[in-house]
């Protein structure tokens, strides 16, 4: 056992004395030590139930012959952090989570791990850590929130943000907003649409790192506790068979994840996290792969904010496995990949049926013949940019208009809510990238304001920052290179014409090469927005959005 390094032999007598201080028995120390990495806290609604998940996992581990030992991982609520300096601290936690979990797991020589994340950065951060530590590991998340109900219709957090914009536009009263406020988020869990947290939790199933239902069983269902117990049992079976994360998270598994991402219509943030996870397993993930996969993968789901269905509906329709089974009929899934069940993907998804063709469209009736995400390139984004195509209305798949340029999110929101953005405009928000932000803030407030002001079918938004999975519309993020390093987005001037063609995967600044070269010669970097603390260190190390905003090191 790996843990023998801290518990067996004369040299480990001091170590055993410290285990005695923990109240551990000789019998417990004779078993494999299983780290339970729990992201529980009392500020994130998606994490407030993780203490119960952890207890269920511990029971499963103990029943299967292991000794469970819990330690924490941090979590930020993106919704509460939205629209202020707090959002600079969201993406950056992914690497803190990965680093701190690596430290804890290796310092204490755990034999196996069970990861208990739920919200946006915890899932990829812990997947990155799992790849680094590479001991038998299973994921079991906290589960999605149930949809809210307002005026007889299901709703979610994205509707809440859009309600604020509608109130500013005069199309909704303060009383209406208050009703949304009370009812949009009715339970614990990760917000109820196909936002980033639920996207990544679904992809744990596809990658083979989570059991069936991990992405879709609602947080408040008792079935979630049963899943947690089975996860504890499963990690012990993995330990006995020596199945490790790098046996599971292969290049083929990551390509499976990208394929199912397209079918589900996942958050654009997956195009930050999949490259980062791939980097940890030694796979150089080019975001342009997304267009090749998208070209042959039908979009089968329109969950909120793209459509009227929610995670609870996907769960009842058969969940992620049902979507994978549909795609396997087209030969789009590598069914030979190993999973935490000890079985292959093909064995796992065999005979899983689509129980609701209104939630999971069948192959002969997809929402579109191409996938939910697209990577756009052009002279405005030479290294690429990302849009959630499945959440764009048809009339905005091609758009041309004048640039309305803002140096930060706050200025853009003020202009949108002040009525200064009009039909046809292309809002450009720059210096919000990984380095320039720093931290690559999500732009849910401006996208929601655009939708709430009734401009969602006539105004585009482009940024070197990123978007919440709750964003919809022609919202194009991850523009690379970013403004802070002199990327073309830094050279855009007010009134420049920008042409967007999502069908052709292009984004073009209609300015001559000569003029752009002249502007680049005159460009000077702005003063860093943050010069102290973790954000300053992050800004000095982070790569661009097209590289997954991974951190550079002397080994890279």
């Amino acid at each position: 056992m790996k843990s023998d390094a801290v518990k067996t032999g004369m040299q480990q007598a001091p170590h055993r004395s410290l285990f005695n201080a923990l109240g551990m028995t000789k019998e417990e120390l004779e078993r494999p030590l299983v780290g339970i990495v729990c992201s529980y806290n009392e500020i994130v609604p998606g994490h407030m139930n993780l203490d119960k998940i952890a207890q269920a996992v511990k029971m499963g581990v103990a029943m299967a012959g292991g000794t469970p030992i819990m330690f924490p991982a941090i979590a930020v609520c993106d919704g509460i952090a939205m629209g202020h300096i707090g959002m600079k601290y969201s993406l950056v936690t992914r690497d803190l989570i990965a680093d701190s979990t690596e430290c804890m797991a290796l310092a204490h020589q755990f034999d196996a791990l069970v990861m208990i994340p739920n919200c946006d950065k915890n899932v990829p951060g812990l997947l990155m850590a799992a790849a680094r530590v590479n001991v038998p590991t299973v994921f079991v998340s906290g589960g999605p929130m149930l949809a809210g109900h307002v005026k007889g219709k299901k709703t979610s957090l994205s509707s809440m943000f859009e309600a604020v914009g509608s109130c500013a536009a005069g199309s909704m009263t303060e009383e209406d907003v208050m009703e949304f406020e009370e009812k949009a988020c009715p339970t614990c869990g990760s917000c109820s649409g196909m936002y980033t947290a639920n996207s990544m939790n679904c992809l744990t199933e596809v990658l083979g790192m989570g059991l069936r239902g991990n992405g879709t069983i609602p947080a408040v269902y008792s079935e979630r506790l049963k899943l947690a117990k089975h996860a504890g049992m499963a990690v012990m079976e993995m330990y006995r068979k020596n199945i490790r994360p790098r046996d599971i998270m292969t290049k083929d598994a990551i390509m499976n994840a990208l394929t199912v991402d397209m079918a589900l219509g996942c958050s654009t943030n997956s195009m930050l996290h999949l490259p980062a996870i791939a980097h940890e397993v030694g796979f150089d993930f080019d975001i342009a792969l997304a267009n090749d996969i998208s070209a042959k993968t039908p979009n089968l789901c329109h969950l909120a904010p793209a459509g009227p269905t929610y995670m609870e509906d996907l769960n009842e329709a058969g969940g992620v496995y049902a979507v994978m089974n549909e795609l396997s009929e087209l030969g789009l899934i590598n069914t030979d990949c190993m999973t935490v069940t000890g079985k292959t993907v093909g064995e796992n998804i065999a005979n899983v049926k689509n129980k609701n063709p209104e939630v999971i469209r069948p192959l002969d009736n997809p929402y579109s013949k191409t996938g939910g995400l697209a990577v756009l390139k052009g002279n405005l984004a030479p290294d690429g940019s990302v849009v959630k195509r499945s959440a764009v209305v048809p009339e905005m798949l091609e758009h041309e208009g004048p640039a309305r340029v803002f140096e930060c999110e706050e200025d853009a929101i003020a202009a949108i809510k002040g009525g200064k953005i009009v039909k046809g405009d292309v809002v450009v928000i720059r210096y919000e990238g990984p380095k320039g932000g720093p931290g690559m803030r999500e732009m849910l407030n401006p996208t929601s304001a655009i939708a709430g002001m009734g401009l969602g079918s006539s105004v585009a938004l482009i940024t070197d920052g990123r978007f919440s999975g709750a964003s919809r519309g022609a919202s194009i993020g991850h523009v690379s290179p970013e403004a802070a390093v002199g990327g073309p987005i830094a050279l855009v001037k007010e009134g420049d014409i920008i042409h967007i063609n999502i069908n052709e995967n292009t984004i073009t600044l209609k300015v001559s090469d000569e003029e752009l070269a002249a502007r680049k010669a005159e460009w000077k970097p702005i003063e860093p927005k943050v010069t102290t603390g973790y954000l300053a260190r992050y800004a000095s190390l982070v790569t661009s959005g097209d590289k997954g905003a991974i951190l550079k090191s002397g080994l890279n």
Side-chain angles (χ1 to χ4, degrees):
M1 286 186 281
K2 188 182 183 76
S3 61
D4 284 346
V6 297
K7 65 184 187 183
T8 302
M10 181 56 66
Q11 291 297 319
Q12 281 64 45
H15 305 67
R16 290 193 296 274
S17 72
L18 294 169
F19 282 111
N20 287 335
L22 289 169
M24 289 228 175
T25 65
K26 180 176 178 290
E27 290 79 6
E28 286 175 298
L29 291 179
E30 288 173 347
R31 296 179 172 194
L33 302 186
V34 181
I36 313 300
V37 190
C38 183
S39 303
Y40 169 76
N41 65 41
E42 295 182 340
I43 188 63
V44 184
H47 289 231
M48 62 184 286
N49 64 320
L50 297 191
D51 55 340
K52 296 177 178 61
I53 299 293
Q55 291 304 315
V57 168
K58 290 172 72 176
M59 184 176 291
V61 168
M63 285 192 294
T67 296
I69 305 172
M70 186 167 62
F71 64 88
I74 63 169
V76 164
C77 177
D78 278 26
I80 295 174
M82 194 71 66
H84 55 89
I85 190 174
M87 182 44 69
K88 294 179 184 290
Y89 287 90
S90 171
L91 178 61
V92 304
T93 65
R94 183 189 71 186
D95 297 273
L96 278 176
I97 292 161
D99 291 349
S100 59
T101 302
E102 173 193 354
C103 291
M104 289 291 289
L106 295 179
H108 301 102
Q109 293 291 288
F110 286 104
D111 296 298
L113 298 168
V114 179
M115 306 294 200
I116 309 178
N118 208 32
C119 289
D120 297 26
K121 310 310 167 299
N122 294 80
V123 186
L126 291 177
L127 284 166
M128 291 162 68
R132 290 183 200 172
V133 178
N134 201 35
V135 296
T137 303
V138 175
F139 275 66
V140 57
S141 304
M145 185 182 292
L146 294 178
H149 291 81
V150 178
K151 301 187 187 306
K153 294 184 178 180
K154 287 184 177 181
T155 191
S156 62
L157 183 66
S158 55
S159 301
M160 182 70 253
F161 276 91
E162 291 177 13
V164 176
S166 297
C167 187
S171 58
M172 185 177 284
T173 66
E174 288 188 21
E175 288 75 17
D176 288 332
V177 175
M178 287 180 65
E179 184 176 7
F180 270 93
E181 185 178 331
E182 293 293 329
K183 297 179 179 178
C185 299
T187 71
C188 64
S190 47
C191 296
S192 56
M194 188 55 80
Y195 310 145
T196 305
N198 292 327
S199 295
M200 294 308 301
N201 281 323
C202 285
L203 294 186
T204 62
E205 291 190 52
V206 187
L207 286 168
M209 292 298 293
L211 299 176
R212 181 183 178 185
N214 187 52
T216 59
I217 297 171
V220 294
Y221 283 13
S222 297
E223 187 68 23
R224 176 63 58 175
L225 296 176
K226 292 166 67 176
L227 182 74
K229 293 174 186 175
H230 282 295
M233 298 178 207
V235 81
M236 294 307 301
E237 189 64 19
M238 289 179 69
Y239 171 77
R240 284 187 278 272
K241 293 180 177 179
N242 196 29
I243 299 172
R244 299 170 181 245
R246 290 183 203 166
D247 301 324
I248 295 171
M249 289 192 287
T250 61
K251 177 180 178 179
D252 287 336
I254 291 169
M255 297 307 289
N256 278 349
L258 183 56
T259 299
V260 178
D261 184 310
M262 294 296 173
L264 286 172
C266 290
S267 163
T268 53
N269 282 311
S270 63
M271 295 305 293
L272 284 173
H273 301 321
L274 287 177
I277 295 162
H279 175 74
E280 297 292 344
V281 297
F283 168 35
D284 186 12
F285 185 105
D286 182 347
I287 63 169
L289 289 168
N291 289 340
D292 297 334
I293 296 294
S294 179
K296 57 186 178 183
T297 306
N299 178 223
L300 304 181
C301 299
H302 264 195
L303 289 99
T309 53
Y310 294 83
M311 295 305 296
E312 61 202 65
D313 302 312
L314 179 59
N315 187 61
E316 296 302 319
V320 176
Y321 277 19
V323 175
M324 293 176 72
N325 200 28
E326 291 275 1
L327 295 175
S328 70
E329 293 184 17
L330 293 177
L332 297 177
I333 297 292
N334 187 316
T335 55
D336 293 330
C337 294
M338 178 52 61
T339 73
V340 295
T341 65
K343 298 179 180 179
T344 65
V345 166
E347 290 173 306
N348 286 345
I349 66 175
N351 304 315
V352 178
K353 302 298 183 184
N354 178 0
K355 299 177 182 177
N356 189 338
E358 297 301 315
V359 176
I360 304 171
R361 289 278 186 94
L363 296 176
D364 60 0
N365 184 34
Y367 283 101
S368 66
K369 293 182 179 180
T370 54
L373 298 181
V375 173
L376 313 185
K377 289 191 174 184
N379 68 342
L380 185 55
D383 294 337
S385 59
V386 182
V387 64
K388 189 172 182 176
R389 174 168 36 200
S390 60
V392 179
V393 293
E395 54 267 38
M396 288 298 289
L397 290 172
E398 185 170 4
H399 179 78
E400 182 171 296
R404 304 299 307 280
V405 183
F406 302 93
E407 310 300 329
C408 66
E409 176 190 5
E410 289 82 358
D411 291 349
I413 293 170
I416 296 164
K417 291 187 176 179
K420 296 179 181 179
I421 302 301
V422 299
K423 182 178 179 180
D425 283 347
V426 178
V427 175
V428 177
I429 306 176
R430 62 192 180 192
Y431 294 101
E432 291 285 5
K435 185 178 294 290
M440 204 178 187
R441 287 194 289 181
E442 285 186 342
M443 301 292 157
L444 180 56
N445 272 347
T447 58
S448 298
I450 287 170
M453 297 288 283
L455 298 170
S457 60
S458 60
V459 169
L461 195 157
I462 297 171
T463 181
D464 53 6
R466 62 195 177 92
F467 294 107
S468 165
S471 292
R472 60 188 176 100
S475 304
I476 300 161
H478 309 194
V479 170
S480 301
E482 63 174 291
V485 298
I489 191 172
L491 311 179
V492 180
K493 291 185 177 181
E494 186 81 7
D496 284 349
I497 301 301
I498 295 175
H499 183 82
I500 301 161
N501 192 327
I502 296 174
N503 290 324
E504 298 294 330
N505 301 322
T506 60
I507 182 167
T508 306
L509 178 62
K510 301 187 84 172
V511 172
S512 70
D513 292 344
E514 293 77 15
E515 172 63 17
L516 282 177
R519 293 182 188 180
K520 182 63 181 286
E522 296 177 358
W523 176 80
K524 294 180 181 179
I526 65 171
E527 289 294 316
K529 295 177 183 177
V530 179
T531 58
T532 60
Y534 177 60
L535 286 179
R537 294 198 301 276
Y538 181 87
S540 71
L541 294 171
V542 71
T543 61
S544 64
D546 69 295
K547 301 299 183 186
I550 60 175
L551 299 185
K552 294 178 290 186
S553 75
L555 300 177
N556 290 342

